[in-house]
């Protein structure tokens, strides 16, 4: 069975400092992994996805994530935080045949990122 | 512009009333999904549909119903049987298959008093 754990429910950084949002996954097969961002009262926007190609994945808005199979991790990073990065971030794993559907995704509980001026 | 629309953005209902949330997509996606979002709980799958005229229950289907009569539309009805309906509801769509990303609508915030 697949599962995903976001290790921090809340991360606070200062503007211009690096961002690290941590995610660990569990999967019985080689998974696809995603990071989504959600601004308050908005839908989710895809930041990046890993689908077994390059292990370092670059996304939108300067974010990137590295797939580490040995550590079962897929942490999200950004070199320099901007005020507009303040939002909630979700790590997501593809469910394989989760719930009888190949397309179903399994969501982490989210990490809220605060950016201080 | 291609995308997913949900209406209305805010919805208020009295306890005991059924309410239907709209979801429309023009991305030509076969699959559509409904999620419920509560603070600190991530997203939980209510129903999904891989093809027109077919849909399946997700993890928390009790008290909800859906229909999929058209490829572009997947309305969700929150019935009076749903014990705690106040939440943020998100609709999504995707191409069929494994390892595909889902695209999300802007959400509907339902408040039941």
């Amino acid at each position: 069975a697949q599962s995903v754990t976001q290790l921090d429910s809340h991360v606070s950084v200062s503007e211009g400092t690096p961002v690290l949002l941590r995610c660990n996954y569990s999967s019985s097969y080689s998974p696809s992994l995603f990071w989504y961002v959600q601004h308050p009262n908005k839908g989710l926007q895809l930041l990046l996805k890993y689908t077994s190609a390059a292990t370092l994945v670059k996304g939108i808005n300067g974010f990137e994530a590295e797939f580490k199979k040995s550590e079962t991790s897929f942490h999200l990073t950004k070199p320099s935080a901007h005020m507009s990065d303040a939002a909630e971030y979700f790590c997501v794993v593809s469910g394989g045949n989760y719930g009888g559907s190949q397309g179903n995704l399994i969501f982490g509980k989210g990490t809220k990122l605060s950016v201080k001026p | 512009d291609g995308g997913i629309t949900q209406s209305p953005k805010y919805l208020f209902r009295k306890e005991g009333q059924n309410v239907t949330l709209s979801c429309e997509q023009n991305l030509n996606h076969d699959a559509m999904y409904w999620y419920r979002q509560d603070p600190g709980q991530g997203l939980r799958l209510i129903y999904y549909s891989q093809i027109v005229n077919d849909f399946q229950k997700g993890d928390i289907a009790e008290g909800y119903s859906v229909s999929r009569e058209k490829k572009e539309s997947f309305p969700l009805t929150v019935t009076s049987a749903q014990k705690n309906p106040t939440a943020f509801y998100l609709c999504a769509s995707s191409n069929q298959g494994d390892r595909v990303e889902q695209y999300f609508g802007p959400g509907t915030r339902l408040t039941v008093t």
Side-chain angles (χ1 to χ4, degrees):
Chain A
Q2 286 73 42
S3 67
V4 61
T5 301
Q6 293 185 242
L7 299 168
D8 305 293
S9 59
H10 192 192
V11 170
S12 182
V13 301
S14 296
E15 191 174 20
T17 65
V19 175
L20 170 64
L21 305 183
R22 298 182 295 163
C23 173
N24 287 120
Y25 70 92
S26 172
S27 178
S28 54
Y29 72 110
S30 182
S32 287
L33 292 156
F34 310 83
W35 276 99
Y36 282 85
V37 61
Q38 184 182 32
H39 288 92
N41 293 309
K42 303 285 189 187
L44 277 68
Q45 180 185 18
L46 180 68
L47 274 179
L48 51 82
K49 66 176 182 179
Y50 165 77
T51 55
S52 76
T55 56
L56 183 62
V57 183
K58 293 188 184 300
I60 61 172
N61 301 334
F63 284 94
E64 62 182 38
E66 186 171 8
F67 175 74
K68 291 188 177 180
K69 186 176 181 179
S70 60
E71 299 176 11
T72 61
S73 70
F74 190 57
H75 301 335
L76 182 70
T77 60
K78 183 174 180 177
S80 176
H82 191 272
M83 295 297 291
S84 60
D85 295 328
E88 190 156 22
Y89 293 79
F90 292 94
C91 183
V92 182
V93 63
S94 64
N97 202 30
Y98 172 69
S101 169
Q102 284 191 317
N104 288 0
L105 302 179
I106 298 169
F107 288 78
K109 294 192 184 300
T111 298
K112 186 174 181 180
L113 175 65
S114 299
V115 182
K116 297 175 289 188
Chain B
D1 280 338
I4 302 175
T5 56
Q6 291 185 244
S7 61
K9 187 165 181 62
Y10 298 96
L11 191 54
F12 298 89
R13 280 294 182 270
K14 294 290 187 187
E15 197 172 315
Q17 293 179 333
N18 292 354
V19 59
T20 297
L21 282 59
S22 167
C23 177
E24 304 275 333
Q25 55 100 358
N26 61 5
L27 299 169
N28 201 33
H29 286 160
D30 286 310
M32 296 187 74
Y33 309 81
W34 273 105
Y35 294 91
R36 172 183 171 132
Q37 186 177 25
D38 296 284
Q41 295 201 42
L43 274 68
R44 293 183 289 169
L45 183 64
I46 305 173
Y47 268 98
Y48 62 96
S49 168
Q50 293 290 318
I51 199 167
V52 174
N53 292 322
D54 187 50
F55 49 82
Q56 305 296 329
K57 292 181 179 179
D59 297 322
I60 56 165
E62 186 175 349
Y64 300 97
S65 66
V66 293
S67 63
R68 186 86 186 276
E69 297 176 1
K70 299 186 296 183
K71 185 176 183 177
E72 59 270 22
S73 178
F74 191 40
L76 173 75
T77 296
V78 183
T79 76
S80 57
Q82 169 48 234
K83 290 181 173 45
N84 185 20
T86 295
F88 191 52
Y89 290 88
L90 288 159
C91 178
S93 70
S94 73
N95 289 313
Q96 283 214 21
D98 193 10
R99 303 172 183 273
V100 294
E101 64 269 30
Q102 295 178 11
Y103 296 84
F104 285 82
T108 291
R109 185 165 295 281
L110 173 65
T111 302
V112 177
T113 58

